[in-house]
Amino acid sequence: MEVPRGFLETLWSFVSFLPFFFLLLLLGLFKALIVGPISSAIILIGNSSVIIGLWPAHFIWTYYCLARTKRIGLVLKTLALILFPLPLLLWPVTGIAASLIGGIAYGFFTPLMATFEAVGESITSKSYHCFVDGSLSTIKGSCTVVTDFSDFCFHSYFSYMDELREMVSADAKPLEIRLSLVPSCLLAGLIGVVVDGVLITVVALYKSPYMLLKGWKRLLEDLVGREGPFLETVCVPFAGLAICLWPLAVVGAVIASVFSSFFLGLYSGVIVHQEDSFRMGCNYIIAAVSLFDEYVNDLLYIREGTCLPRPCYRKKTDSVHGKRVLGERKNVDLNSRMNSSRLVSEQSRTLKKAITLYKPVQVWEWLFKSCEVNGRILIRDGLINVKDVEQCLVRGNCKKLFIQLPAWTVLQCLLTSAKSNSSGLVITDGVELTELNSPKDKVFVWLVGPLMIMKEQIKNLKLTEDEEYCLRKLVMVSKNERTEDWDSTGFPSSDTVRKAQLQAIIRRLQGMVASMSRIPTFRRRFMNLVKVLYIEALETGASENRAGGILKTERDQTRKLDQTATIDMDVV
């Protein structure tokens, strides 16, 4: 379907889609009313059972880990032990309330959105999918939500606590707070919560009509001109749903602003301790409102900067340097605004076709698919066996599979990217992940940046093929903590500095994977992968046993023939 260009064509296209939109909306609401209560009940009952069942263990283990940790000093540890009962007691209430609200939202909006997605151009049998999509899949998704939440409460939480309880090096300085600053920190935090909570709420409510009207204006312009998120034909009926739901997005933004204001206010206590000045903490309370207002102005494209005062809350800030940085930041904001305005202009269609932006789900899918392929290779090479997989499935000892296998996969990607002289990361054949097309989520920015640096480090080391082969093996079988760990591994290079650099890269990779493994979806997806690898390991072991049995039978037959020939010779 071509995009209408004339006024009459545009008006007729808009009017002709109205009945189509209302029919889909009624069907989606009908499915939401049927499926929503079931989905909400599953999430509420499942999450509440997990919260209540694990709450005693969370309470006891949190106090035990705080008492045993060496990462924080005595004063801060005592303060944490005194104050932690409050959040631990509030956790069941807030967790159950969040499960109720999240369950209602998930059960209502998922069938509604699935109904509109079922009319996509790439989907066949649209009528069938309009009635079916979002019904059973929403109920299954609710069970998945409960499973991921259980993994986080049971596995991720205890992993965080184990990391808190780990031994630190002797020269590491524990995190400590000065006892004399505790009263002023608490006072500044209390004042910050009250003042910033009120003022940021006022700013959010004052700017919410602008957000509502500008959002509607932008959505209507994109709908009529078929630009931005409504470039494709399937998105035209979806545009009406977005316009109807935009007030809910504005309400959610206001609620998020009010919720974040408490944490911004509490951070004033941290400023007091860092700067050793109560006045600096008060300055931050005022500056936080200014920072929030400037952020909202930039988000809504209202005006440059803010008219609210912003006092300095850092002692070691040079005025000249501060002006220079502020000027640079304004230039950067201006440039980013111009760039973003270009993206929503008439050229947005061309730019979207020129640059393929990858979503976090695509990178996530690549990681697990690569782990499956590489896991089969490691099983074939004998670096992973049936015993390793059984220990993960039965005993829960999954360090070799959860940490070392993804680290081996990412290392393979880094080696391939370094050898190809790529500007980014070569994740598959013909697919390159760069700073331009990588996901813009904070988590992936935190992940891709260090990987780019490690790729350049590997590229500068100019590894030989023997070193690459040995390095892949050492990721799976060696501790990689000291250079002496590689002395008996047959690593081709004897350079101690080179070994230390490679071990540092491996440790950093394993640390990043350990952080990723705490994401709830990671454990669920990886356990399914482990089951696939278990079947592969059993088949590999069975084939090896079969091949060994055939060879043993042939050897026995050969030995019998030799013995028969020897007896005949003796008789002769």
Side-chain angles (χ1 to χ4, degrees):
M1 180 177 178
E2 297 181 355
V3 179
R5 293 301 179 186
F7 174 76
L8 294 178
E9 291 83 354
T10 302
L11 180 62
W12 171 250
S13 176
F14 176 74
V15 173
S16 62
F17 270 107
L18 285 178
F20 187 44
F21 162 72
F22 284 114
L23 287 176
L24 290 176
L25 180 61
L26 291 176
L27 179 60
L29 291 175
F30 178 73
K31 291 196 298 185
L33 292 176
I34 296 177
V35 179
I38 301 175
S39 175
S40 304
I42 293 174
I43 294 177
L44 177 62
I45 297 174
N47 289 356
S48 301
S49 302
V50 173
I51 292 173
I52 297 174
L54 291 178
W55 183 80
H58 286 173
F59 192 97
I60 296 173
W61 194 249
T62 300
Y63 262 84
Y64 174 76
C65 293
L66 282 175
R68 292 291 302 274
T69 183
K70 303 295 182 182
R71 297 179 180 270
I72 59 178
L74 180 61
V75 178
L76 184 58
K77 182 185 296 186
T78 305
L79 186 64
L81 292 174
I82 295 175
L83 297 179
F84 252 86
L86 180 60
L88 289 175
L89 291 174
L90 292 177
W91 161 239
V93 179
T94 55
I96 294 174
S99 299
L100 176 62
I101 297 173
I104 294 174
Y106 182 83
F108 179 80
F109 288 108
T110 302
L112 184 62
M113 303 288 281
T115 304
F116 283 87
E117 291 175 354
V119 297
E121 293 181 349
S122 60
I123 298 177
T124 58
S125 303
K126 294 181 175 59
S127 300
Y128 170 77
H129 286 284
C130 284
F131 285 93
V132 174
D133 288 1
S135 301
L136 185 61
S137 61
T138 302
I139 298 176
K140 292 181 178 179
S142 302
C143 299
T144 303
V145 169
V146 176
T147 301
D148 291 343
F149 184 76
S150 303
D151 289 339
F152 179 81
C153 291
F154 189 79
H155 298 282
S156 301
Y157 164 78
F158 289 104
S159 178
Y160 283 118
M161 291 295 102
D162 291 341
E163 182 180 358
L164 179 65
R165 204 165 46 91
E166 286 179 355
M167 297 297 295
V168 296
S169 58
D171 56 345
K173 187 177 180 180
L175 184 63
E176 186 57 284
I177 184 174
R178 284 169 286 181
L179 188 59
S180 58
L181 293 177
V182 172
S184 56
C185 291
L186 294 177
L187 180 60
L190 181 61
I191 297 174
V193 168
V194 175
V195 175
D196 286 344
V198 173
L199 295 181
I200 290 178
T201 302
V202 171
V203 173
L205 292 175
Y206 177 75
K207 298 294 176 69
S208 59
Y210 291 94
M211 183 178 179
L212 179 65
L213 297 178
K214 281 185 172 290
W216 272 341
K217 179 177 179 294
R218 167 68 186 278
L219 292 173
L220 288 173
E221 289 176 352
D222 289 342
L223 173 62
V224 174
R226 297 286 299 282
E227 295 285 346
F230 310 129
L231 177 61
E232 299 179 359
T233 305
V234 61
C235 295
V236 175
F238 203 85
L241 181 63
I243 293 172
C244 295
L245 296 181
W246 182 247
L248 295 180
V250 176
V251 173
V254 174
I255 294 175
S257 301
V258 175
F259 183 72
S260 63
S261 65
F262 295 102
F263 297 96
L264 290 174
L266 285 174
Y267 193 73
S268 59
V270 179
I271 298 295
V272 171
H273 184 268
Q274 291 177 346
E275 301 298 327
D276 195 8
S277 173
F278 181 77
R279 183 173 62 87
M280 291 297 173
C282 295
N283 289 348
Y284 170 79
I285 295 173
I286 302 174
V289 183
S290 175
L291 291 170
F292 177 80
D293 183 62
E294 182 178 1
Y295 172 77
V296 174
N297 292 338
D298 292 340
L299 183 66
L300 301 179
Y301 303 112
I302 296 178
R303 61 171 178 269
E304 192 72 20
T306 178
C307 61
L308 299 178
R310 185 181 303 175
C312 179
Y313 56 88
R314 295 290 186 185
K315 291 182 178 179
K316 299 180 180 179
T317 302
D318 189 4
S319 59
V320 177
H321 177 70
K323 291 180 180 179
R324 181 175 62 84
V325 172
L326 182 60
E328 290 178 354
R329 185 164 56 82
K330 287 184 177 181
N331 293 333
V332 171
D333 291 340
L334 182 60
N335 293 334
S336 63
R337 177 183 294 186
M338 294 175 61
N339 293 334
S340 60
S341 63
R342 292 193 189 101
L343 290 175
V344 299
S345 65
E346 294 180 356
Q347 300 176 356
S348 61
R349 184 184 300 114
T350 305
L351 290 174
K352 283 187 175 184
K353 291 183 178 179
I355 301 175
T356 302
L357 298 177
Y358 294 102
K359 299 179 180 179
V361 176
Q362 294 175 298
V363 182
W364 206 237
E365 290 289 338
W366 162 81
L367 177 63
F368 287 104
K369 289 181 180 179
S370 300
C371 286
E372 181 179 351
V373 174
N374 294 325
R376 297 176 185 271
I377 295 174
L378 294 175
I379 290 174
R380 184 192 61 195
D381 295 341
L383 296 177
I384 295 178
N385 51 37
V386 179
K387 185 178 179 181
D388 297 329
V389 184
E390 287 179 347
Q391 286 183 350
C392 181
L393 291 175
V394 179
R395 300 181 181 179
N397 184 12
C398 302
K399 182 178 180 181
K400 187 171 185 178
L401 295 178
F402 272 39
I403 306 298
Q404 295 175 344
L405 176 56
W408 194 94
T409 301
V410 178
L411 178 63
Q412 178 75 15
C413 173
L414 295 178
L415 293 173
T416 304
S417 304
K419 291 174 64 176
S420 63
N421 293 324
S422 172
S423 60
L425 299 176
V426 180
I427 56 178
T428 55
D429 295 337
V431 178
E432 183 179 350
L433 190 67
T434 63
E435 294 181 355
L436 294 177
N437 61 7
S438 62
K440 304 305 178 185
D441 294 358
K442 293 295 183 181
V443 176
F444 280 90
V445 171
W446 165 83
L447 177 65
V448 174
L451 291 179
M452 295 288 189
I453 297 175
M454 284 186 280
K455 184 206 71 173
E456 294 299 327
Q457 292 174 346
I458 293 176
K459 184 178 179 180
N460 294 332
L461 289 174
K462 298 179 180 179
L463 301 176
T464 63
E465 293 184 0
D466 294 337
E467 288 177 338
E468 290 183 5
Y469 176 78
C470 190
L471 187 63
R472 294 188 181 99
K473 181 179 179 181
L474 293 175
V475 173
M476 300 298 298
V477 300
S478 180
K479 294 182 179 180
N480 305 311
E481 296 177 356
R482 299 175 301 175
T483 55
E484 292 80 5
D485 295 336
W486 287 10
D487 290 343
S488 59
T489 58
F491 189 74
S493 177
S494 59
D495 189 354
T496 306
V497 177
R498 191 179 183 87
K499 291 181 180 179
Q501 291 175 339
L502 292 173
Q503 286 181 340
I505 293 175
I506 293 175
R507 287 195 300 269
R508 192 172 185 184
L509 275 178
Q510 292 178 346
M512 294 174 63
V513 173
S515 300
M516 291 168 52
S517 65
R518 293 165 184 162
I519 301 175
T521 55
F522 184 93
R523 179 174 179 82
R524 172 173 52 85
R525 295 287 302 275
F526 215 90
M527 289 304 294
N528 295 332
L529 172 61
V530 170
K531 294 176 183 178
V532 174
L533 294 180
Y534 183 65
I535 297 175
E536 180 73 18
L538 289 177
E539 292 177 353
T540 302
S543 62
E544 290 178 355
N545 293 334
R546 190 181 306 113
I550 294 173
L551 292 176
K552 182 179 179 181
T553 303
E554 291 179 353
R555 286 196 301 268
D556 293 341
Q557 292 177 355
T558 303
R559 189 180 298 110
K560 290 180 179 179
L561 291 175
D562 292 340
Q563 291 176 356
T564 304
T566 303
I567 294 172
D568 293 339
M569 290 294 295
D570 293 339
V571 171
V572 174

